[in-house]
Every structure is written in C-alpha cells, then in structure tokens.
Amino acid sequence: MEGDDVTLELDIPTEQAMVVIEGVEVKSSEEPQPSSSPPAYSGHGKIQPPPPSSSDFESFRTSLASLKGQDASLSAALTSLSELSHDIYYGSELMADEAAVSALICLMAKESSFEDGSDHSASAILSSSLQNNPTAVASLSLFHDSIMAPTCPALRVKGLSLISALQKKLSAPNTSPSSLKSQIAALSGLLKSPQIQKSFLKQDGTSYLQSVFLKSGIEYDVVRKRVVQLLMDNFLDESMGARLGVWPKVDVVQKGEKECNGDAVNDECWAWYGKEFYGTESGKKEWMGEFLERIGQGSQGGERDREL
C-alpha cells in the first residue's frame, strides 16, 4: 500500500557454481618460481668462428703452417698473423696450438739481426693474442712448461730457460727499444696465466725486468714505462687483476744507494732505481709515483725510509 514500507526478499544464491568440462586438464594457477640464484657467469663466452670460405681464414691456416714449419715464407706469415691476432677468434686459436706458441716463444727469445725483426713480430703476435682474451690465456696452462723451458734446438742445446735466454739476449748490442717494448708486452700477457707467473718468479724474472729497466739511454724510457706497467698489472694493482702478496714478498726491505749501485739487481733495489728514474724528466710521471708508493707497501716502512 502507498506509504507503507515494502520489503522484498530475493532468494539469490551466494555460492559460486563450478562447471566441470570433462576431458580438459585444468592447469595450476601457480607458475614455477625462478631460482633465487643467478646462473654462473662465464667471462669467456662462445667465440664464433669465421666462415671457412673467408680469405682471413685461409690466410690464417697457411700462415700457421708456415710458422710451425719455419719455412721460407715465415716473414710473410708473421706479418699476416700480426694482423689476425688482434681478432679474438684467431688469437684464441693461435694460443691453443702448442707448436705455434712454442715457435713464437723461440723467435722472441732468440737473438736476431736488426733487419730480421722476427723476434719483434713474434712478441707482438703473443701480446695481441693474449690481450683481453681469457680463453687464450686459459689455453696456456695446458703446456706452460714448454713456454718457460723452450724446446727449440737453439735454446735447448744451451740449456736456457726462457728468462735466461732473454737475459743473454739483453746484452746483445742490437737490442732495440721497440723490440724490448714489444717483448715486455708479450711477457705481461703471458703472466696472466697463474702457472706461467709462478715459473716466471721461480726463474727470477723480476730481476730480468730490472735489468731491462736499467738500460741506459733516454731511448729506453718507453721500455721502462712498459716494465712498470707489467709489474703494476700483474703484481701490484688489484684493480687490474693482480693478486697482491705474490710479489714482492712482505719481508723484502727496499735498500738504498749504498747497496743499489747499478750493479746490484734484486727485488730490494726496485724502490731506489725507481726513485732515481723519478728524478728525471721522463720519469716524473703519475704512473711512476704510484709504482713507488705500491712497491713499498709490503716492505718494512721504517727501515725502508732510513735506507732511502
């Protein structure tokens, strides 16, 4: 009636109905959760080979055979490999070939005429192949002994290790700054291999580097810089991948002028010889100052200060 409240009660079901369709599999709404741990990172990656039909591939194949056979076309082969070794694929392939690496090591270590230049080329190929190429560096661990104890007849017959051969070669009158610079760059790349680094220190390789550092003449200043870079990158600068504490040993005390007179070559004289170079126009550089600071960090500071 008009004016009266009328309440309508509707019978509305509150439960939801479920429709089942036979023959259809119902998937769970829960998706599999991703693993909380990320996949292991590999810095090497997969290096894609070039097509076999490419001219570079054929040039690499023939140059590699010439290098290992030391035939009449060796000079042309070294030129070709010098260019190709900058490519990460060819650099990796080259460093995985023990015979090829051994040939390059022997060319780098043997005495050669200035006109020949094969030692310079071999060093450059090693350096380019190993630069920023962890795959190439890793390959060296498989035959590191033949690198540090070369098997070529010219060195084996004299019983020379790699470092002793380089030391002997250093005294030759035709050792050019450019050849030494390239050689030090190659050694720096080789030292990225832990096994080679261990053998290098066992053969007193840092004394050889000091002998290079002490070469007289301003034309060798660029070589001195390369030696310092090698020591920083491989032993003193952690940001460059160096493992600290390997060299110099913590108990090494840097000596002064009295003990380090130019004839003494040992780990105790790096600070003094470095300080002398730092006093020259070419040596008064930030990189040299950083080296002097770091070379003394593992030494007994008070005694070192008194010596210097």
Side-chain angles (χ1 to χ4, degrees), residues 163 166 180-192 197 200-201 205-206 208-210 212 222-237 240-242 247 270 287 291:
I163 299 305
L166 293 177
L180 274 176
K181 179 183 175 183
S182 183
Q183 179 198 115
I184 298 302
L187 286 175
S188 187
L190 291 169
L191 287 175
K192 297 300 180 185
Q197 187 180 110
F200 177 85
L201 293 174
T206 53
Y208 167 68
L209 293 176
Q210 194 171 97
V212 175
V222 65
V223 183
R224 278 180 267 279
K225 180 178 181 180
R226 189 57 61 92
V227 168
V228 168
Q229 288 175 332
L230 179 152
L231 293 173
M232 291 289 287
D233 291 352
N234 292 283
F235 299 107
L236 300 174
D237 190 348
M240 297 301 294
W247 180 90
W270 274 108
W287 52 267
F291 170 73

Side-chain angles (χ1 to χ4, degrees), residues 1-7:
M1 295 180 63
E2 186 178 351
D4 293 339
D5 291 331
V6 179
T7 301

Side-chain angles (χ1 to χ4, degrees), residues 137-145 147-148 190-203 243:
V137 173
S139 296
L140 301 179
S141 64
L142 301 176
F143 45 86
H144 59 92
D145 287 339
I147 293 174
M148 298 306 296
L190 291 169
L191 287 175
K192 297 300 180 185
S193 165
Q195 295 90 343
I196 291 178
Q197 187 180 110
K198 183 178 180 180
S199 295
F200 177 85
L201 293 174
K202 188 175 181 180
Q203 293 183 19
R243 189 160 58 93

